[in-house]
Amino acid sequence: MRSIAFINQKGGVGKTTSTANVGACLATLGKKVLLIDLDPQANLSIHLGINVHGKDLSVYQMICGKRKVAEVLTETAVDGLEIIPSDIDLASAEIELVNTVGRETIVKFYLEELSSEYDYILIDCPPSLGLLTLNALTVANEIFIPLQTEFFALQGVSKLVQTFEIIKKRLNSSLEITGIIPCMYDSRTKLGQAVLDKINEYFEDKVFATNIRKNIKLSESPSHGMPIITYAPDSNGAKDYLALTKEVIAQEKMMLSETTTKQTSEIKEHAMQ
Ligand SMILES: Nc1ncnc2c1ncn2[C@@H]1O[C@H](COP(=O)(O)OP(=O)(O)OP(=O)(O)O)[C@@H](O)[C@H]1O
Ligand SMILES: [Mg+2]
């Protein structure tokens, strides 16, 4: 199972759009997917047509121990795609958890009660590096960073990478940055290409080959409560997210061969001792 946190403390860069649409595309391609909405704005839940406001059925109630994970787990209209939704109550969690022991691992703790098996867990984070994002980084073993291909794209990225390094050292040694998603790309502008070049220079082979182009259908689909492949399957937005998702799946093979190489060399080392 792969668990991936979509993070960037910068707001409006495409975290939620990417989590929802990669999740929906993975499910359409036959994977079993769990989405976790860790943003009190609940944009991911609403994007998928789930509104639990006032029902006490969000990730917040799970974090407080008032609901079991099975109670907050919600099916979406896409086959194979489930979600643990959020609502505005989650906004108080950061303050309420301040004095809780193990506050960075509380979501991970409750997820252990999950009985279903998933191929992928995707976590949508709020635009901050606060406690909710730290929780996502202890559940996940991978980070995807959506970046808007605009002038300020790389501003703050070093802080993000620094946070990742601290979490990896202190809380989650298996965490890796495994994908950079260039979002809202406009090929008609020189700026778009220039920013993309800078992103490639900084993150090298971690950048996905697929750029998510600016596409009006992508901005319309959340208000219809549907992922792009359901709302506008022929749009550029759907084509881009499907291409990106195929790249994500292709990473599985590379990871498997890396693990096999590592295991083989460990066995050889052991045999020589
Ligand atoms: N490729 C795209 N083309 C056009 N609009 C897009 C595209 N990607 C995202 N948007 C729109 O841009 C806005 C911000 O996107 P999104 O909500 O995914 O960002 P975010 O990083 O999750 O924001 P926040 O930090 O507030 O959680 C949304 O209105 C979304 O519909
Ligand atoms: Mg968001």
Side-chain angles (χ1 to χ4, degrees):
M1 187 190 69
R2 292 174 68 184
S3 52
I4 307 168
F6 288 64
I7 73 165
N8 190 336
Q9 77 274 31
K10 202 183 267 300
V13 296
K15 293 182 288 292
T16 304
T17 307
S18 298
T19 315
N21 289 307
V22 169
C25 288
L26 281 169
T28 307
L29 294 171
K31 303 286 181 185
K32 193 149 192 289
V33 185
L34 171 65
L35 303 177
I36 305 176
D37 191 349
L38 271 191
D39 185 352
Q41 298 179 98
N43 291 351
L44 179 68
S45 311
I46 293 161
H47 195 144
L48 293 163
I50 310 292
N51 188 347
V52 293
H53 183 63
K55 294 183 189 159
D56 285 353
L57 281 173
S58 81
V59 67
Y60 174 71
Q61 276 77 31
M62 182 188 88
I63 287 175
C64 296
K66 288 186 192 151
R67 296 274 190 183
K68 290 207 178 317
V69 62
E71 292 176 275
V72 294
L73 200 61
T74 310
E75 280 187 14
T76 72
V78 180
D79 252 6
L81 185 70
E82 289 175 278
I83 184 168
I84 297 180
S86 167
D87 75 348
I88 192 65
D89 290 346
L90 188 62
S92 56
E94 302 242 358
I95 297 165
E96 288 171 16
L97 291 176
V98 160
N99 294 318
T100 306
V101 177
R103 58 189 178 270
E104 295 95 350
T105 51
I106 197 145
V107 175
K108 185 183 163 84
F109 174 79
Y110 284 113
L111 284 183
E112 267 153 27
E113 292 172 5
L114 265 180
S115 54
S116 308
E117 299 262 312
Y118 296 95
D119 299 309
Y120 283 83
I121 294 182
L122 308 183
I123 311 162
D124 185 28
C125 295
S128 81
L129 295 175
L131 200 48
L132 291 167
T133 299
L134 296 189
N135 264 278
L137 296 183
T138 57
V139 173
N141 41 39
E142 296 177 53
I143 292 175
F144 281 180
I145 307 176
L147 289 175
Q148 199 178 351
T149 46
E150 297 287 349
F151 182 64
F152 289 115
L154 287 167
Q155 194 196 39
V157 161
S158 57
K159 177 81 190 155
L160 183 56
V161 173
Q162 218 178 337
T163 305
F164 150 71
E165 280 163 359
I166 293 171
I167 300 292
K168 185 174 167 71
K169 205 184 289 174
R170 298 194 191 154
L171 288 171
N172 182 2
S173 61
S174 62
L175 192 65
E176 295 294 345
I177 297 174
T178 51
I180 309 297
I181 310 173
C183 290
M184 301 181 215
Y185 179 63
D186 188 348
S187 60
R188 293 165 306 176
T189 65
K190 278 191 185 154
L191 181 66
Q193 187 54 53
V195 174
L196 198 58
D197 291 345
K198 279 260 170 257
I199 292 172
N200 278 301
E201 207 176 289
Y202 192 92
F203 285 106
E204 300 175 341
D205 58 348
K206 293 198 192 312
V207 186
F208 285 111
T210 307
N211 308 316
I212 307 299
R213 288 168 284 181
K214 265 195 186 139
N215 181 248
I216 188 78
K217 296 283 179 203
L218 279 171
S219 55
E220 286 171 8
S221 58
S223 63
H224 296 267
M226 283 185 232
I228 192 73
I229 39 159
T230 316
Y231 175 67
D234 297 325
S235 64
N236 281 341
K239 286 177 193 150
D240 290 348
Y241 273 109
L242 205 53
L244 175 70
T245 305
K246 286 181 181 162
E247 278 194 71
V248 174
I249 294 174
Q251 288 180 319
E252 289 174 21
K253 281 194 195 125
M254 271 166 14
M255 284 169 181
L256 200 66
S257 74
E258 274 168 25
T259 315
T260 317
T261 316
K262 200 171 155 215
Q263 279 171 347
T264 315
S265 61
E266 274 171 8
I267 292 167
K268 273 187 193 159
E269 230 171 75
H270 192 70
M272 280 160 69
Q273 278 169 5

